[in-house]
Amino acid sequence: MSEHLPAAAARLTVAVDRLADRFRAMPQSRLLGAVPGHPSRAAAVLALARRLADAGRALEGLPALEVPDCGAFAVGDQLAVTGHDLALAAGDGHPDVLAAALADVEATDRATG
C-alpha cells in the first residue's frame, strides 16, 4: 500500500507497520510491562493510536472519537489502522502533520523497546 502514497505518508506507514508488527508478535508479559509514562507498553501504543486517530479526523474536519481499549493484543492492529488512516488523510498536503506523526511513532518505538 505504501508504494501508492506520497513519500512522507509512505514513511509514516512503514514506521507504523514496523511498530504494529512488533506489538502483534510481543508476548503478553512484555505487552503488559510498564514503560515510563504508561502503565504498560500496550497502553503507550494505544495512546499513540489515539493521537494518530485524532490527527487524521482533524484533517478530515471530523470531531475526535476515542479509540477504544480493546485489550493488549489489539493495540498492534489499532495502531496500523489509525496510522494508515492518517497517512491517507494527510496525503501530500500536510507534511508537518506527517512529520509530527512519524516523530511520535519513532519516540513510542524507542520508549517501548
Side-chain angles (χ1 to χ4, degrees), residues 50 53-54 57 63-67:
R50 288 174 172 166
D54 288 349
R57 289 184 61 84
L65 290 176
E66 186 169 311
V67 174

Side-chain angles (χ1 to χ4, degrees), residues 4-11 59 86-99:
H4 301 293
L5 293 172
R11 283 191 294 278
L59 289 177
L86 174 57
L88 288 172
D92 60 359
H94 301 278
D96 53 331
V97 172
L98 292 168

Side-chain angles (χ1 to χ4, degrees), residues 3 8 11 19 25 64 74 88 103-104:
E3 64 273 1
R11 283 191 294 278
L19 184 57
L88 288 172
D104 199 3

Side-chain angles (χ1 to χ4, degrees), residues 1 8 12 15-16 18 20 24 27-28 40 46 52 56 61 63 68 70 77 80 92-93 96 98 103 105-106 109 112:
M1 175 179 161
L12 175 61
V16 161
R18 186 177 316 119
R24 287 177 183 128
Q28 183 176 8
S40 69
L46 177 59
L52 297 179
C70 296
D77 292 334
D92 60 359
D96 53 331
L98 292 168
V105 169
E106 291 171 342
D109 190 12
T112 60

